[in-house]
């Protein structure tokens, strides 16, 4: 029996913002039932899976690109680590790179763990520890990552706490290893980074499952509703509340308050980044402005009356930018207090008055945010009715005339976009180049900071975009959460044998080299080729922000099932867990690989059989680093965009034959290098597209399946580069692998390369031996 | 006039060990002296320069079409070529990828874009387009 302390605490305690955490337990904890025999590695500690990591790292050794010659982490330093020199603590440049990668992965994992901890804590407070985890009749394997990593089959919200306890313990150990004078081997740093990545996976699963059951979000619904996306969908005549970040809880209360008071039609609630995605999973009436990349543009446009921020990926100058527009800001999360006064102890009406006077505050009681944000929006929208935030078009021309054409904006723009050229053209009252800039610019504001004339470049770009691009209304399918077990049963065999040529997962942030459209381009290419395309987070939004000639988005054209030619939006960044989860479920449901505490076997199965590849075209954050590294540990390769080279480390094989054990015959043999890399950058979207079919190849492909994959590899290469793939001979094992339709062409090519068929192909490849 | 030796994207610098600026004359001498030079040509090359370069008699790899840039770096690190020239690759991407060779190989790297590239061993300075075209012409003529 358990009781909730909070319900027993006196109003006086509450009044002083005095919170008591935790629950009282009576009696013994019940032993977990034996749902599957326990595997070898439940709750793996930092070194437990080291052997597995070393196997991967032997095949895919870390490739380092040090972003800096030095280390400056302790006061012995700065230390020069270039040209083979060591730091005062003995560290060399490889170890330093690996250490930074581990630190990034720890930051990412901590972020997701803290986010999930907050959700679980909050939901337990509201619903109790015993609230069941039930994802509906179609999902029995509710938490594949949790089952595999920890050996726990979570039945209640309370069970999720145990998983988070484990995550937090691991992160502490991992982070401590980065202290000066601890770990001293780069491969061990990498193994630890993989551990951090796996913990990140686990924490995300906990958080997403908690919010799905606790807030009744779609439970693997293939037909999740289509929701509004894009700046053009927001009705500017209504009061507008903008939520930014990743945590759905404050947004939830805003939606609830609107519904309870019949205000749904009178006030616009919209969001940027993952909070937006998760609010639409909670209520389809909410609107998504767009990905992270549009944050500053949208705030500058002044459409929002109240800006509510929670956690992660929010501009850290959001307060300053919001106040400039005359809007007010509410911070709602302890991780982002922005120097504001904590007014959580006040009544809602007192809060409203406080914010009207002070324009911003910190409210750590999300329940109160609902009323406060809505009532403020009503008042502020009247107050700001005629407020002009962006320059007029003729003012843009006048501002442009001040430009000295120094060119520094182009040089500091992360993508070297042609800002100067847009200015020069605008001086003549022409805006074509500004419109082009608008389409690609992710409003980071670096150009503005450098401009010697202090020109408000982002505001100018936003104005031009707003004025000339009328059609900014799109659709996206609300995040559906997990993949159903029955879907896995249907696609398990075709994926494992290669008849479905691959699963392409488009995930991650918006640090795109050329705007959002390229993500949609990738999705379109592979949907047409009948791959399964899965999406989450900002990438899922980017896919929605492109329309075909009929004015339809890809979400309107393709169904949401996990099947060939399906476009599956799983949800926010937390929901990425369902992508790894699907791969794990293929091992379990289709191939009966036991999950419980059985990480290595499951990952080995995925590496050798499940043709999935992750694409983080705009990977930016430390969370993305953790996600990618976690996914890598499960044996899933990842392609990242050119900016991701700044993560400093990739995992690249040398492209020569790999070695596996054929479990069927007990023989160790050479095989083709598939999948060739574990994480690799592509410079252009064309290169990325051409890499995808290749990285979907697996040693276990049947000849028919491999032929299909080779067909797509050749076909995209010819389409985008006008030639045969230059390394095709590596991936054709025997003549049976050659697709019938292009047989002559491929044979000619192979002859030229001196190709010979392989004598042996493993029946049951494994790298565990 | 643009400054010559601030990295074209200023944040690409790495605080220590920046590339030496190289003149066309020295560059030509370096190539002539090299036993096994190679030119890595990117897809962002200016059309005029591309045409001039097509006449250059030197082993070339086109990236990404023929090979991924990081795979190229891995290959170059093995040391088969004593001199590697780079042109036409996304600036920040090359800046980052070059650091692999800077730290883990003895290959002499030279960038021949019209931008100063701090992470190479040698780089042309930042320059205007027409000046760059002249440099490339000079190079092709001399070799
Ligand atoms: S941690 Fe080591 S390498 Fe870094 S500054 Fe300190 S002594 Fe130097
Ligand atoms: S705001 Fe846009 S144009 Fe300016 S630096 Fe950032 S991406 Fe480049
Ligand atoms: S930095 Fe400012 S002054 Fe210089 S070219 Fe760009 S817009 Fe003009």
């Amino acid at each position: 029996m358990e009781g909730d302390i909070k319900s027993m605490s006196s109003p006086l305690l509450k009044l002083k913002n005095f919170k008591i955490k935790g629950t009282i337990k009576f009696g013994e904890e019940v032993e977990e039932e034996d749902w599957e025999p326990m595997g070898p590695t439940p709750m793996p500690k930092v070194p437990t899976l080291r052997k597995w990591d070393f196997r991967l790292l032997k095949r895919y050794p870390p490739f380092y690109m040090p972003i800096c010659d030095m280390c400056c982490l302790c006061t012995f330093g700065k230390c020069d680590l270039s040209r083979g020199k060591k730091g005062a603590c003995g560290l060399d440049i490889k170890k330093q790179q690996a250490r930074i990668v581990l630190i990034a992965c720890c930051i990412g994992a901590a972020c997701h763990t803290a986010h999930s901890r907050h959700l679980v804590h909050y939901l337990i407070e509201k619903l109790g520890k015993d609230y069941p985890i039930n994802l509906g009749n179609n999902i029995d394997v509710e938490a594949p990552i949790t089952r595999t990593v920890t050996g726990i089959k979570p039945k209640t919200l309370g069970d999720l706490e145990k998983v988070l306890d484990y995550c937090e313990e691991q992160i502490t150990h991992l982070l401590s290893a980065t202290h000066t004078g601890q770990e001293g081997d780069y491969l061990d740093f990498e193994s630890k980074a993989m551990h951090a990545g796996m913990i990140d996976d686990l924490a995300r699963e906990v958080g997403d499952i908690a919010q799905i059951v606790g807030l009744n979000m779609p439970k693997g619904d293939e037909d999740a509703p289509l929701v509004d996306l894009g700046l053009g969908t927001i009705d500017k005549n209504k009061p507008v509340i903008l939520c930014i970040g990743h945590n759905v809880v404050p947004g939830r209360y805003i939606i609830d308050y609107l519904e309870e008071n019949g205000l749904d039609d009178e006030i616009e609630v919209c969001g940027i980044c993952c909070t937006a995605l998760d609010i639409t999973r909670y209520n389809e009436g909410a609107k998504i402005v767009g990905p992270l990349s549009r944050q500053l543009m949208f705030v500058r446009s002044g459409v929002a009356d109240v800006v509510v921020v929670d956690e992660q990926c929010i501009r850290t100058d959001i307060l300053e930018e919001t106040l400039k527009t005359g809007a007010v800001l509410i911070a709602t999360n302890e991780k982002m207090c922005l120097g504001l006064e904590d007014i959580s102890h006040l009544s809602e009406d007192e809060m409203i008055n406080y914010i009207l006077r002070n324009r911003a505050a910190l409210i750590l009681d999300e329940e109160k945010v609902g009323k406060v944000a809505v009532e403020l929006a009503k008042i502020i929208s009247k107050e700001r009715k005629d407020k002009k935030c962006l320059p007029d078009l003729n003012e843009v021309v006048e501002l442009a005339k001040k430009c000295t054409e120094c060119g520094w904006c182009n040089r500091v723009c992360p993508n070297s976009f042609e800002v100067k050229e847009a200015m020069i053209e605008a001086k003549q009252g022409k805006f074509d180049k500004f419109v082009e800039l608008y389409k690609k610019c992710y409003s980071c504001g670096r150009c503005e900071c450098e401009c010697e004339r202090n020109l408000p470049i982002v505001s100018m770009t936003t104005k031009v975009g707003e004025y000339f691009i009328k059609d900014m209304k799109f659709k996206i399918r609300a995040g559906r959460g997990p993949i159903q077990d029955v879907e896995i049963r249907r696609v398990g065999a075709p994926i494992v044998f290669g008849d479905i040529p691959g699963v392409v997962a488009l995930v991650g942030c918006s640090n795109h080299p050329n705007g959002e459209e390229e993500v949609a381009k990738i999705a379109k290419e592979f949907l047409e080729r009948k791959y399964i395309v899965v999406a989450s987070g900002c990438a899922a939004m980017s896919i929605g922000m492109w329309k075909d000639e009929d004015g339809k988005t890809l979400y309107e054209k393709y169904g949401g099932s996990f099947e060939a030619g399906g476009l599956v939006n799983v949800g926010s960044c937390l929901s990425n867990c369902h992508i790894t989860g699907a791969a794990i479920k293929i091992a379990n449901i289709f191939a009966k690989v036991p999950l419980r505490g059985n990480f290595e076997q499951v990952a080995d199965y995925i590496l050798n059989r499940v043709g999935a590849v992750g694409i983080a075209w705009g990977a930016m954050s430390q969370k993305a680093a953790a996600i990618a590294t976690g996914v890598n540990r499960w044996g899933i390769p990842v392609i990242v965009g050119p900016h991701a080279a700044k993560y400093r480390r990739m995992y690249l094989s040398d492209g020569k034959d790999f070695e596996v054990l054929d479990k069927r015959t007990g023989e160790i043999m050479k095989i083709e290098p598939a999948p060739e890399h574990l994480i690799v950058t592509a410079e252009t979207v064309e290169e990325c597209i051409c890499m995808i079919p290749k990285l979907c190849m697996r040693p276990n492909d049947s000849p028919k399946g491999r032929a299909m994959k080779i067909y797509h590899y050749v076909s995209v290469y010819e389409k985008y580069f006008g030639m045969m793939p230059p390394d095709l001979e590596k991936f054709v094992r025997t003549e049976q692998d050659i697709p019938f339709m292009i047989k002559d062409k491929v044979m000619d090519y192979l002859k030229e390369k001196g190709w010979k068929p392989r004598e042996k192909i493993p029946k049951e490849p494994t790298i565990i031996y | 006039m643009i400054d010559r030796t601030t990295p074209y994207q200023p944040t690409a610098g790495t605080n220590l060990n920046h590339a030496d600026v190289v003149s066309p004359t020295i560059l030509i001498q370096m190539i002539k002296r090299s036993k096994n030079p190679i030119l890595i040509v990117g897809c962002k090359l200016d059309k005029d320069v591309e045409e001039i370069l097509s006449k250059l008699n030197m082993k070339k790899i086109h990236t990404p079409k023929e090979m991924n840039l990081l795979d190229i770096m891995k290959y170059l690190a093995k040391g088969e070529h004593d001199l590697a020239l780079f042109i036409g690759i996304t600036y920040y991407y090359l800046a980052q990828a070059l650091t692999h060779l800077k730290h883990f190989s003895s290959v002499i790297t030279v960038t021949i874009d019209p931008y100063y590239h701090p992470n190479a061993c040698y780089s042309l300075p930042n320059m205007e387009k027409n000046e760059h075209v002249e440099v490339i012409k000079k190079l092709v003529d001399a070799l």
Side-chain angles (χ1 to χ4, degrees):
Chain A
M1 217 181 109
E2 289 168 353
D4 188 335
I5 287 187
K6 201 175 175 205
S7 60
M8 295 187 237
S9 62
S10 75
L12 186 72
L13 288 178
K14 273 192 181 172
L15 199 75
K16 290 189 174 165
N17 194 25
F18 185 85
K19 278 189 183 167
I20 299 174
K21 278 193 202 161
T23 50
I24 304 172
K25 277 189 195 150
F26 301 94
E28 289 295 298
E29 266 194 55
V30 190
E31 265 297 304
E32 212 190 318
E33 77 181 88
D34 219 9
W35 48 276
E36 202 175 72
M38 186 61 91
T41 57
M43 304 263 193
K45 296 199 163 33
V46 175
T48 310
L49 298 171
R50 188 169 173 252
K51 230 174 148 180
W52 167 256
D53 299 334
F54 279 30
R55 285 192 185 103
L56 286 179
L57 294 168
K58 190 172 162 210
R59 185 191 269 188
Y60 306 104
F63 173 94
Y64 294 117
M65 296 167 275
I67 206 162
C68 171
D69 293 345
M70 289 189 274
C71 172
C72 52
L73 269 184
C74 86
T75 68
F76 272 146
K78 304 172 182 180
C79 293
D80 175 8
L81 306 178
S82 67
R83 304 195 172 124
K85 288 184 279 256
K86 289 194 276 185
C89 65
L91 200 78
D92 68 20
I93 192 101
K94 272 195 186 180
K95 294 173 201 171
Q96 170 64 357
Q97 302 317 300
R99 176 160 73 144
I100 296 285
V101 171
L102 173 56
I103 291 173
C105 290
C106 283
I107 296 175
C111 225
H112 283 133
T113 306
H115 180 181
S116 297
R117 177 61 89 178
H118 172 267
L119 286 170
V120 170
H121 180 90
Y122 157 79
L123 288 167
I124 287 179
E125 223 172 62
K126 297 291 156 201
L127 305 167
K129 258 185 192 302
D130 294 331
Y131 192 82
I133 290 171
N134 180 355
L135 293 172
N137 294 336
N138 296 327
I139 298 171
D140 282 336
V141 184
E142 72 306 296
I145 300 175
T146 305
R147 285 185 180 200
T148 311
V149 175
T150 64
I152 295 172
K153 175 176 165 179
K155 292 211 195 57
T156 61
L157 287 177
D159 289 342
L160 297 178
E161 285 196 305
K162 293 181 218 156
V163 182
L164 290 175
D165 289 346
Y166 164 71
C167 292
E168 285 155 356
E169 185 189 331
Q170 296 309 302
I171 293 169
T172 311
H173 288 306
L174 289 166
L175 191 55
S176 80
T178 67
H179 190 274
T180 301
Q182 297 254 38
E183 187 53 78
D185 180 83
Y186 74 98
L187 288 179
D188 265 310
F189 269 127
E190 292 292 351
S191 165
K192 289 180 168 67
M194 286 188 168
H195 195 62
M198 184 194 72
I199 296 299
D200 182 84
D201 263 343
L202 183 61
R204 273 181 279 115
E205 185 176 80
V206 167
D208 212 43
I209 290 180
Q211 62 177 2
I212 289 172
V213 297
L215 299 177
N216 199 23
M217 292 177 176
K219 300 182 174 70
D221 182 1
E222 298 153 89
D223 303 313
L226 287 169
V227 296
D228 286 329
L229 164 73
L231 278 128
T233 61
I234 316 292
D235 184 347
K236 295 176 191 166
N237 298 316
K238 294 178 186 173
V240 177
I241 302 171
L242 169 68
C243 301
I244 312 178
H246 281 69
N247 195 318
V248 69
V249 178
R252 175 239 164 122
Y253 283 110
I254 295 171
I255 299 275
D256 286 357
Y257 184 82
L258 289 176
E259 277 188 347
E260 280 157 22
N261 294 281
L263 292 167
D264 331 25
D265 289 336
E266 282 164 47
I267 291 180
E268 291 279 80
V269 180
C270 59
I272 281 179
C273 212
C274 283
T275 293
L277 282 167
D278 282 344
I279 298 178
T280 58
R281 291 165 84 190
Y282 181 66
N283 182 303
E284 56 187 276
K287 292 170 179 175
I288 302 174
V289 173
L292 184 70
S293 48
R294 300 287 160 174
Q295 191 172 166
L296 187 56
M297 284 184 185
F298 189 65
V299 173
R300 286 271 179 95
S301 74
V303 173
D305 298 300
V306 177
V307 175
V308 179
V309 296
D310 50 83
E311 58 177 299
Q312 303 164 44
C313 302
I314 304 159
R315 281 191 70 91
T316 49
D317 60 353
I318 190 71
L319 178 60
E320 182 191 329
E321 289 291 344
T322 302
L323 296 183
K324 271 197 248 169
T325 68
V328 297
L329 180 133
I330 305 172
T332 62
N333 194 293
E334 63 197 22
K335 275 153 265 167
M336 197 191 207
C337 300
L338 296 171
L340 295 167
E341 180 87 18
D342 181 358
I343 58 165
S344 314
H345 57 286
L346 298 181
S347 73
E348 284 141 319
D349 290 332
E350 287 169 330
M351 286 176 174
I352 293 169
N353 282 326
Y354 177 92
I355 296 176
L356 284 174
R357 285 196 310 274
N358 297 284
R359 311 310 285 179
L362 175 64
I363 303 178
L364 295 173
D365 183 342
E366 290 108 343
E367 211 164 336
K368 292 181 180 168
V369 173
K371 179 175 175 185
V372 174
V374 173
E375 295 304 330
L376 275 170
K378 289 195 210 160
I379 302 168
I380 305 282
S381 85
K382 284 198 196 110
E383 196 185 289
R384 297 173 70 245
K385 208 160 189 314
D386 300 311
K387 172 104 185 162
K388 190 179 111 199
C389 296
L390 294 174
D392 294 335
L393 219 52
N394 48 1
E395 285 168 337
V396 171
V397 175
E398 289 314 308
L399 285 165
K401 283 183 184 158
K402 292 190 192 159
C403 164
T404 59
E405 301 173 23
C406 71
W408 274 95
C409 42
N410 295 16
R411 289 180 66 171
V412 299
C413 172
N415 295 308
S416 303
F417 288 147
E418 297 192 329
V419 183
K420 180 184 85 177
E421 289 72 8
M423 290 288 172
I424 294 174
E425 211 195 52
K427 289 180 183 184
Q428 317 297 325
K430 285 196 276 183
F431 298 100
D432 292 353
K433 290 193 172 152
F434 248 123
V435 172
E436 276 317 299
L437 180 63
Y438 175 84
K439 286 185 191 158
K440 295 191 208 162
C441 165
Y442 47 52
S443 66
C444 69
R446 262 166 56 168
C447 48
E448 269 185 20
C449 290
E450 199 69 31
C451 178
E452 57 188 15
R453 287 301 170 93
N454 283 322
L455 295 179
I457 302 172
V458 175
S459 304
M460 293 163 78
T461 313
T462 308
K463 179 67 202 181
V464 174
E466 217 182 74
Y467 189 86
F468 288 100
I469 306 178
K470 291 292 167 219
D471 184 22
M472 287 201 270
K473 290 184 184 165
F474 307 95
K475 289 280 181 195
I476 177 174
R477 193 171 299 104
R480 58 169 276 184
I483 310 304
Q484 297 173 18
D485 297 8
V486 18
E487 291 172 286
I488 299 289
R489 259 176 227 116
R490 263 186 249 134
V491 299
I495 290 177
V496 167
F497 297 120
D499 299 313
I500 290 179
V503 181
V504 180
L506 292 155
V507 302
C509 340
S510 341
N511 195 9
H512 303 124
N514 283 304
E516 291 122 359
E517 223 172 272
E518 290 185 338
V519 184
K521 191 172 173 183
I522 301 170
K524 179 172 171 281
E525 185 69 55
F526 290 94
L527 284 165
E528 283 169 358
R529 292 173 184 277
K530 296 257 178 241
Y531 283 63
I532 301 177
V533 177
V534 192
S536 70
C538 283
M541 301 182 216
S542 298
I543 292 174
M545 292 171 78
W546 176 87
K547 286 180 186 170
D548 67 3
E549 51 289 352
D550 310 326
K552 285 212 167 96
T553 62
L554 292 170
Y555 290 104
E556 291 162 286
K557 288 184 79 169
Y558 294 91
S561 307
F562 192 75
E563 63 183 12
L567 174 55
V568 184
N569 175 17
V570 286
S572 57
C573 283
L574 284 184
S575 322
N576 273 321
C577 62
H578 306 303
I579 305 177
T580 326
I584 300 170
K585 289 208 294 191
I586 291 172
N588 179 240
I589 297 172
F590 165 69
K592 305 274 180 286
V593 179
L595 297 187
R596 194 172 189 189
N598 197 22
F599 182 91
E600 276 198 27
Q601 261 198 19
V602 174
D604 184 57
Y605 185 92
I606 295 172
L607 175 71
N608 286 293
R609 288 167 179 77
V610 181
V613 56
I615 324 290
W617 193 235
M620 169 276 291
S621 66
Q622 297 85 23
K623 289 183 294 166
I627 294 172
T629 309
V631 159
N632 283 165
R633 198 186 215 190
W634 289 103
I636 301 172
V638 174
I639 303 170
V640 281
H643 280 297
K646 294 172 226 162
Y647 282 129
R648 305 165 176 80
R649 185 271 284 135
M650 298 291 134
Y651 293 139
L652 308 179
S653 85
D654 59 8
K656 304 267 163 56
D657 277 4
F658 290 166
E659 213 169 65
V660 292
L661 168 75
D662 186 355
K663 253 199 279 186
R664 198 76 66 79
T665 61
E667 197 182 336
I668 291 173
M669 61 174 73
K670 298 267 189 214
I671 60 159
E672 75 282 12
E676 192 179 23
H677 298 309
L678 259 196
I679 180 163
V680 60
T681 51
E683 183 182 1
T684 62
V685 72
E686 292 78 18
E687 185 184 14
C688 175
I689 289 176
C690 290
M691 260 187 204
I692 290 172
K694 177 161 79 164
L695 288 184
C696 285
M697 294 184 202
R698 292 296 177 278
N700 195 61
D701 292 337
S702 71
K704 194 168 141 237
R706 178 59 62 88
M708 180 93 91
K709 294 181 183 187
I710 285 179
Y711 172 79
H712 290 294
Y713 188 34
V714 171
S715 146
V716 287
Y717 230 95
E718 288 189 325
K719 179 169 171 186
Y720 290 101
F721 288 136
M723 61 187 263
M724 290 287 267
D727 57 356
L728 183 64
E729 70 280 4
K730 288 187 200 168
F731 302 100
V732 184
R733 298 165 301 184
T734 69
E735 270 193 45
Q736 281 180 298
D737 286 351
I738 303 173
F740 178 71
M741 313 228 298
I742 51 172
K743 185 145 195 171
D744 296 345
K745 189 159 63 179
V746 173
M747 279 312 284
D748 288 349
Y749 167 91
L750 291 176
K751 225 179 266 164
E752 214 174 280
K753 291 268 182 158
W755 172 85
K756 282 197 192 67
R758 289 181 185 270
E759 280 160 22
K760 284 183 220 154
I761 293 173
K763 299 265 179 329
E764 249 185 271
T766 168
I767 64 164
I768 305 176
Y769 55 89
Chain B
M1 182 63 193
I2 44 182
D3 64 313
R4 309 282 281 181
T5 57
T6 308
Y8 179 74
Q9 285 191 342
T11 46
T14 57
N15 304 322
L16 294 167
N17 307 321
H18 283 188
D20 289 335
V21 171
V22 70
S23 70
T25 325
I26 306 269
L27 180 58
I28 291 162
Q29 281 173 15
M30 282 171 75
I31 299 172
K32 282 187 172 161
R33 250 184 290 147
S34 156
K35 287 194 192 75
N36 193 10
I38 186 166
L39 173 64
I40 312 301
V41 187
C43 60
K44 301 279 163 79
L45 201 55
D46 183 276
K47 285 278 163 279
D48 301 334
V49 177
E50 192 176 346
E51 210 185 306
I52 305 166
L53 262 187
S54 64
K55 295 180 204 117
L56 183 70
N57 182 21
M58 189 187 294
K59 182 176 171 178
K60 292 178 198 144
I61 303 180
H62 291 87
T63 183
K65 189 171 168 162
E66 293 170 345
M67 211 173 178
N68 168 276
L69 182 65
L70 303 191
D71 282 334
I72 293 177
M73 295 306 187
K74 217 173 150 146
Y75 160 72
L76 291 175
K78 290 187 188 140
E80 218 170 283
H81 301 273
D82 53 349
L83 181 73
L85 301 140
F86 298 85
I87 191 166
I89 298 159
T90 305
Y91 183 85
Y92 61 86
Y93 184 50
L94 178 63
Q96 196 55 28
L98 272 173
T99 65
H100 181 76
L101 297 180
K102 172 175 176 176
H103 287 281
F104 306 112
S105 83
S106 51
V107 189
I108 306 286
T109 54
V110 188
T111 56
I112 54 169
D113 281 314
Y115 311 117
Y116 178 65
H117 249 297
N119 297 332
C121 303
Y122 300 93
S123 168
L124 291 179
N126 297 317
M127 53 176 77
E128 301 291 352
K129 187 189 153 168
N130 37 10
E131 188 187 353
H132 184 236
V133 171
E134 289 312 310
V135 172
I136 300 296
K137 265 192 199 147
K138 212 168 169 182
L139 199 80
V140 174
D141 290 345
L143 294 166

